[in-house]
Amino acid sequence: MDLHEHSALEIREGIARGKFTAQEVCERVFARIRDWDPKFRIFLASDEEGAHSAATEVDRKLAAGEPVGLLAGIPLALKDNLCTSGFPTTCASRILEGWRPPYNATVVERVKAAGAVLVGKVNMDEFAMGSSCENSAFFPTRNPWNPECVVGGSSGGSAAAVAADLVPLALGSDTGGSIRQPAAFCGVTGLKPTYGRVSRFGLVAFASSLDQIGPLARSVEDAALLLSVIAGHDQQDATSTDLPVPDYLLRLREGVKGLKIGLPREFISAGIQPEIKAALETAQKVFADAGADLIEVALPHSEYCLAAYYLAATAEASSNLARYDGVQYGLRVSGDNLLEMYGATRAAGFGSEVKRRIMLGTYALSAGYYEAYYKKALQVRTLIQRDFEQAMTKCDLILTPTSPTTAFRLGEKMEDPLTMYLSDVFTISANLAGLPGISIPCGYSLEGLPIGLQLIGRAYDEETMLRTAYAYQSRTDWHKQRPAMEETK
Ligand code: GLN
């Protein structure tokens, strides 16, 4: 097997046993980046020097018999909204061009301390607003399964980096589906933890009550490994929860016998691509064969998810993004006075989707409309949370498609934001309810594009969710298929 085809766990073990060195793994990563990145445009900035010194340090420690961390020598890519000390962090926005954060995000600190080799920052939709990576101010990323198609978003670079076998692990963020939807579009595994499970300190905020950082990997096992490293309380983030973090690899193999998986009837109708519907029906049989009980459940307020999300998320974004005014961060366009400088900087620095969201959010929060829009959205959010609480009294997990379609063509939805927003119709509710969700590959369309299924778990019960997803992957090999990138070189 070629080095780049190894899973994260295999890399760790190979290095520990002296089959290959961290340095060799690292060199292979950069050779592949040189070969493939010009075509798929995944990286915004790579850090060959930093990666080499991290790899050398792992090799040195092992040679000296010193202990190494859980991610020793494993290459990892970061979404470009995770702060990296002294290293550019742009959120794929012109307004942050040239900004170098003075500190690392907590997740970055944790993966570094665990010995991961950070290879660079990858593309995303500007400020994580989007579902295709086409809202990046720099360039869209192309799908390794078909370069004419989008990678999904907003963590599209993270999903593509894993799908193209450039790295076995990546971190993304998910506010309404941004880890799970690109994972589905690129045929990889993507997990959004429970709100509060992972520290958001150093994640550039989009919608603070919905944002959560999580792993993307080629398998549930590798995702579990990375989650074990990043999960847990952090004093720097008051919304991170002080609950013990299980070793997520420990109970993966316990199976799903007796677990109840709920199928929400509301999710099965809404304009799903027929191949996705069929793949999901086949997946249900796999879960049933593994010993799970499949039952129907109701999530009656599902049809209001999208509307509630696009009010709550934009309201929070309009407030979070007020800080980019040309004073403290990145771009400054001068003007005759302070107000003109603010205006000129924001006009030049933000892309059109970000501006649209700031305007929507500002409107929803303004006097006279606050009660009618923002407050209503929060009330609906409570109803959606209750739907899940109610459903979860009958089942342990909920099974849905990840997205209503497979990856669409570049450019196809750019003129129509509403159809773009529909991409997240199945993922948003987990963010509104704060629950963990995972997307895993469950088939391919006739065109050969990956299809993803989503499992939503109980709050803080990532363990059951991972165990169920693992049971599926141990019975299927969808997640082992690789894109034929050579054919389209
Ligand atoms: N696509 C959704 C949006 O544009 C979700 C984005 C995300 O999860 N960051 O808001």
Side-chain angles (χ1 to χ4, degrees), residues 3-9 11 25-26 28-33 36 42-43 46-47 51 73-79 116-122 156-171 188-189 216-219 222 226 482 485:
L3 262 188
H4 62 265
E5 290 172 347
H6 284 298
S7 71
L9 282 161
I11 288 177
V25 174
C26 181
R28 174 61 61 84
V29 170
F30 284 94
R32 282 188 68 79
I33 292 177
W36 294 108
I42 295 167
F43 278 82
S46 61
D47 182 15
I74 303 175
L76 190 149
L78 298 169
K79 186 174 181 178
V117 172
L118 300 182
V119 302
K121 310 293 288 287
V122 290
S158 309
V162 172
D165 278 344
L166 302 185
V167 286
L169 293 179
L171 284 173
V188 303
T189 297
L216 292 105
R218 279 191 299 268
S219 68
D222 279 2
L226 182 49
R482 300 292 222 278
M485 302 184 334

Side-chain angles (χ1 to χ4, degrees), residues 14 33 35 40 207 271 449 480:
I33 292 177
D35 279 352
F40 295 107
L449 291 168
K480 292 186 185 146

